[in-house]
Amino acid sequence: MKNFLVILCLISVTSNLFVFKSGIDQKLLLEDAKENNFFFNENILNNINYDYPNLSINSVPILTYLSRYDTNKGDFKSAIEKISISLKHNPYSLYSKYLLSRNYIYINDFKNSEAILESLYNLSPRIESSTSLYFFILGENKNTSKLIEHRDMLANIDNYNIWSFYLD
């Protein structure tokens, strides 16, 4: 029984150490994302544990924040791979989906980007960044039928960036 308690305490201490270290990294990763900075260098990034815990304090997978660095370096395929793994940890992360759609745009894969942005739009049409990007991609893909389909729904969204697709 004593050995069992010792093993249980060691597991608990180890788990709490991972959570503690992750909290320190998360604070910097979240600040980076907020300010659109890239504080970490490659050595530090490689040492960030994103497997446990895999979600940050705001439920966005840690790997999503790490993918920003790949995007910044122009390694879009690696960023897409990381975000795809992230979406397995939290398939409802709007931020992960938004970054995934942007990375598809960077590699000129507008069809995949449109599908992701459409799901974001259906979940929350009032998020300006993803909605305006969605309408831009609809225009790039010459998807006039969807632009017409969404026109009436946009009457309640007071945003020139979105309405400009109809005003031109």
Side-chain angles (χ1 to χ4, degrees):
M1 182 64 166
K2 197 182 230 184
N3 289 338
F4 174 74
L5 289 176
V6 169
I7 291 172
L8 187 62
C9 286
L10 285 174
I11 291 171
S12 177
V13 166
T14 303
S15 173
N16 285 331
L17 181 64
F18 280 133
V19 171
F20 175 74
K21 285 182 175 181
S22 178
I24 294 168
D25 294 336
Q26 286 177 44
K27 180 181 179 205
L28 295 172
L29 285 170
L30 291 168
E31 187 67 27
D32 261 12
K34 177 182 161 197
E35 301 295 329
N36 199 29
N37 291 328
F38 298 91
F39 171 76
F40 294 106
N41 64 37
E42 193 75 29
N43 292 333
I44 295 172
L45 287 174
N46 291 333
N47 290 320
I48 293 177
N49 184 359
Y50 54 83
D51 290 322
Y52 181 81
N54 57 26
L55 299 180
S56 65
I57 56 176
N58 63 358
S59 297
V60 173
I62 294 169
L63 207 48
T64 294
Y65 290 110
L66 296 178
S67 77
R68 293 179 58 250
Y69 287 85
D70 291 326
T71 301
N72 189 52
K73 289 187 309 187
D75 190 357
F76 307 119
K77 292 189 188 252
S78 178
I80 288 169
E81 191 176 300
K82 285 180 180 171
I83 297 170
S84 296
I85 294 168
S86 293
L87 286 169
K88 291 177 184 168
H89 295 296
N90 182 358
Y92 307 105
S93 172
L94 301 179
Y95 185 62
S96 297
K97 290 179 180 183
Y98 174 71
L99 290 183
L100 182 59
S101 70
R102 287 184 51 188
N103 278 284
Y104 278 128
I105 289 169
Y106 291 136
I107 62 170
N108 295 317
D109 187 348
F110 294 156
K111 288 294 180 190
N112 274 328
S113 181
E114 180 181 328
I116 294 163
L117 289 166
E118 182 174 22
S119 75
L120 283 172
Y121 176 77
N122 290 332
L123 288 170
S124 189
R126 293 187 183 272
I127 297 177
E128 180 179 339
S129 55
S130 58
T131 298
S132 58
L133 193 55
Y134 175 52
F135 282 91
F136 168 76
I137 289 298
L138 287 176
E140 286 295 307
N141 289 341
K142 298 182 182 8
N143 198 334
T144 311
S145 62
K146 282 191 182 174
L147 283 168
I148 292 169
E149 175 187 327
H150 294 305
R151 184 176 184 169
D152 292 338
M153 191 151 86
L154 292 174
N156 295 328
I157 297 177
D158 185 24
N159 185 315
Y160 177 78
N161 290 331
I162 296 169
W163 274 103
S164 65
F165 293 100
Y166 295 97
L167 300 175
D168 290 338

